[in-house]
Amino acid sequence: MSFDFSKLLSVAWGGWTTSWPTELLALIWLAFLLSWIGASFWQGQTKKQVMTLESQRYSLPILVGGILFTPWVAELLGWKPLWVLGNSGIYVAAVLSIAGIAFAWWGRLHLGKFWSNTITHKEDHRVIDTGPYGIVRHPIYTGLIFGMLVTGIAIGMVTTILGAILISLGMWQKGRMEEVFLSKELGEDAYGAYCRRVPMIIPFLSPR
């Protein structure tokens, strides 16, 4: 029995990715994912981190949301879009998604060796409050939440919208846990003061 690679490809690249320009949105997020994985090797030495069981409070919503965000779930369920934006709307959404990703990358690059995929205290860790971190405390989450919500709405699938919402909630939860952790590790006078000065995720809101 011969293996039909074309069938595997059609499943992997199916759902809302089968037509242009919605396919462009998938390519944007695929490029982001690959670049982010590649950059994950650039980080400093970890001094302390949150235990794995505790991290499930944010990792599970992100995981489930990520699965729902993929085009395959809606295809398997046979669900149709709630609305269709048209080509112009999708192109606008693509530009906005790229803007969100760019903001997240700005935060990643500005954080440098202090970045980590988990909640950690790095060697020589200090409060970063310049660049995008002077706008919001979690610019990576801000950019990704914005980009994913835009993409989810642009696609118009219940699954992509729900996936984007779950990912957003997971990132918000992770941000809260990071702040509690870093306030203890870096000191309330340093990190706590930063939290009282800069908004968490949404720019220009009163800090909380």
Side-chain angles (χ1 to χ4, degrees), residues 166-207:
L166 283 174
I167 292 171
S168 300
L169 290 174
M171 289 183 176
W172 178 85
Q173 176 63 31
K174 185 181 180 183
R176 283 299 187 195
M177 291 178 65
E178 283 179 348
E179 292 179 351
V180 172
F181 177 79
L182 290 176
S183 291
K184 293 178 180 178
E185 293 295 312
L186 303 181
E188 178 65 26
D189 291 341
Y191 197 82
Y194 170 62
C195 291
R196 291 188 292 272
R197 189 173 70 253
V198 178
M200 181 182 179
I201 288 178
I202 303 176
F204 313 119
L205 285 185
S206 298

Side-chain angles (χ1 to χ4, degrees), residues 103-123:
F103 191 75
W105 260 112
W106 184 23
R108 169 70 177 89
L109 294 172
H110 197 78
L111 198 58
K113 66 179 182 178
F114 297 133
W115 177 86
S116 175
N117 190 46
T118 57
I119 301 175
T120 59
H121 181 179
K122 296 292 186 180
E123 294 287 349

